[in-house]
Amino acid sequence: ALSGLCFATITLAAAPDKAIITTGSLLEEMAELARLARWPDPAYRTVQFSSYDRRSTTSEAPGWFSNADGFGHEPIPGFQKVLREPSDGQAGLYLVAEVTGPGAIVRGWSAGMGGVLRVYADPAGAEGQADPRALIWEGPAYDFLARRSSLYAKRAGIEFDAGDAFVQQDADYLPIPFARGLRITWEGKLAELHFYHIQVRLYPAGTTVRTFDPTKDLHDFEPVLRATAASLVRPTTRFKVEPSKLEATIEPGRNWSWTPETKGPGAVRELRLRLRAELLETALRGCLFRIAFDGAQRPQVEAPVGDFFASGPGVNPFSSLPFDVEADGTMICRFVMPFEKSVRMELINHTQAPVRLEGSVLLSPWNWDARSLYFRAKWRADHDLLASGSAIDLPYLVIIGQGMFAGCAAMIMNPSGVPTAGGNWWGEGDEKFLVDGEVVPSTFGTGSEDYLCHAWGMHPKAYLYAGASIPENDPKHPDRHQCTSYRFHIEDPILFTKSIRVSIEHGHANLQENDYSSVAYWYQTEPHKP
């Protein structure tokens, strides 16, 4: 289904004077949060190729919640096409992805896929074949999907410790640009499939792209590679300006607000908040945080304090690119929030006790123009969700308008102690993104843990783009089966010009009774309709 979308959806024409897109320019984007606050030029679409169950077609058709997507027993192999059926002990050959036109691979992930993956950048030749000169990878599938950055660097003779900059659990974010097309095939036994995702940007026809060359690119862009890794591993706000201090005691049922003395245009570059209360966990969930830009009647940001920082419930230290939570309760946001005229922050104390607020806001100038986007964050909660063998599409974000989806956080309290084979595991639900009126999702995943870049459960690790601030079976929450996870679309934002629906399935052959809350983060033009 994705191949049809890949060929037909982009109609914008790229201007001839645009800067060339290279491995280096894509690397620079990986640590630059400010670019999310402007509509990109050239604009692009981000789609996902994955091993999702091909019986799932549209929400109105049978099989929408089918969940055979990576163990080799799928009724329909989880690929675009079967190129050669397996026979007489010979492994089958399958088409994983095919794109015509300029683009870039911006994420790969796998739960341990075996077999041989062949990746062709700018392929040419008859159908079912590709020019061997375009072959940029031939080898173990998992190595390309989840470990290619270190292996390409090793082959290029580049030695450096990138930390978690590119490899994040079972995902690898090293970008692979191509000028004229992409073709990926897999050869192996279906029992070795074990799930895969490949995120691809699709640029408009005419966009100038320098195709990835594994023998040259990492050498040519080595300084950028090293600088990007350093910026990602130690994320900071680089503006050397004095922040505005925030300080208040907020009584029960009362609110606190702040606006800067100077008017815009400007941008919030860093926000720090720390709450003090006798019952801190209650305060972090019971104090509603709002931000309104340019006099908006409905605040663009609205979420409980702890949930906004992807840390609820309570203080759970972790570090990512847009958010940090420190052990002393200081919570830091680095999402860039521009405004044309004004910004107003508000905290409403819905608890039964006073709450002490400390923090700071770092503002910087911003060149407000037609491409500038407002930052938005919205919390929603669904209590007492009961899944007993059936599934639903749980919405995270449903919007009419133009913008880009930048990620989400999910706070799941799963106290069910029912001793069933399915247990109380929540992570099988697939992500489904419907963009600009799509009927078939251009992003269709293979499980919530997979969307969060993990596999075989959520591991106790927080990464720059994805991970868990409260992992499964956290000893701090032994009686609640609490898990708080996040995924940020920094290199792979989902652009939409008319509408977007972001949902994740809830419930797959499990007996669950969840409290499930989420925060969606996105950027958007005005007006819009939620």
Side-chain angles (χ1 to χ4, degrees), residues 285-310:
R285 172 55 71 87
C287 288
L288 184 65
F289 181 53
R290 289 173 168 168
I291 307 178
F293 304 106
D294 294 337
Q297 184 69 29
R298 176 178 291 180
Q300 284 93 343
V301 173
E302 189 172 48
V305 173
D307 293 40
F308 172 74
F309 290 92

Side-chain angles (χ1 to χ4, degrees), residues 140-223:
Y142 180 81
D143 286 357
F144 179 83
L145 296 170
R147 296 293 183 268
R148 65 178 175 274
S149 57
S150 57
L151 292 170
Y152 275 133
K154 184 177 180 180
R155 291 179 185 180
I158 298 173
E159 295 185 8
F160 77 114
D161 183 5
D164 297 331
F166 305 113
V167 175
Q168 300 181 30
Q169 192 60 38
D170 290 293
D172 197 306
Y173 283 90
L174 180 72
I176 307 292
F178 50 88
R180 299 188 304 278
L182 173 73
R183 183 179 176 87
I184 302 177
T185 65
W186 182 75
E187 187 174 18
K189 298 178 180 179
L190 289 176
E192 301 175 307
L193 177 55
H194 284 331
F195 312 92
Y196 68 86
H197 294 174
I198 302 173
Q199 257 78 20
V200 178
R201 284 191 192 181
L202 306 176
Y203 289 106
T207 302
T208 305
V209 177
R210 170 176 155 173
T211 299
F212 179 79
D213 185 336
T215 65
K216 294 180 59 179
D217 273 32
L218 295 193
H219 280 297
D220 291 351
F221 298 110
E222 183 177 351

Side-chain angles (χ1 to χ4, degrees), residues 93-130:
L93 181 65
Y94 306 90
L95 181 66
V96 175
E98 189 165 47
V99 171
T100 299
I105 298 173
V106 289
R107 174 184 177 262
W109 169 89
S110 176
M113 190 173 180
V116 175
L117 204 69
R118 295 181 180 91
V119 181
Y120 301 88
D122 298 346
E127 183 177 354
Q129 301 177 356

Side-chain angles (χ1 to χ4, degrees), residues 304-476:
V305 173
D307 293 40
F308 172 74
F309 290 92
S311 177
V315 174
N316 302 284
F318 79 101
S319 181
S320 69
L321 187 61
F323 289 121
D324 281 355
V325 173
E326 299 178 348
D328 68 354
T330 300
M331 299 184 172
I332 304 167
C333 174
R334 285 182 287 267
F335 271 122
V336 178
M337 310 178 197
F339 52 92
E340 185 177 13
K341 299 174 182 177
S342 65
V343 57
R344 173 186 170 90
M345 297 187 181
E346 185 179 26
L347 202 67
I348 306 170
N349 183 359
H350 288 285
T351 75
Q352 303 301 310
V355 173
R356 180 68 178 169
L357 166 69
E358 301 170 355
S360 64
V361 179
L362 194 156
L363 297 175
S364 75
W366 180 269
N367 179 24
W368 185 272
D369 57 19
R371 290 172 50 216
S372 296
L373 304 172
Y374 290 107
F375 175 75
R376 302 187 66 93
K378 182 64 177 176
W379 178 79
R380 62 168 288 144
D382 293 276
H383 301 295
D384 301 322
L385 284 173
L386 185 62
S388 54
S390 61
I392 60 172
D393 287 324
L394 195 65
Y396 276 51
L397 178 66
V398 183
I399 286 291
I400 296 172
Q402 176 173 315
M404 65 174 79
F405 178 60
C408 59
M411 283 65 64
I412 300 158
M413 188 164 69
N414 193 4
S416 172
V418 179
T420 66
N424 56 9
W425 172 233
W426 53 271
E428 294 305 316
D430 302 341
E431 75 274 17
K432 300 170 181 175
F433 300 171
L434 292 166
V435 178
D436 294 342
E438 290 172 343
V439 176
V440 179
S442 50
T443 295
F444 201 139
T446 58
S448 306
E449 67 194 294
D450 311 349
Y451 171 68
L452 298 161
C453 295
H454 287 226
W456 315 114
M458 290 300 298
H459 302 280
K461 184 65 182 287
Y463 293 91
L464 293 156
Y465 293 170
S469 54
I470 303 179
E472 290 181 83
N473 304 316
D474 185 5
K476 290 192 298 182

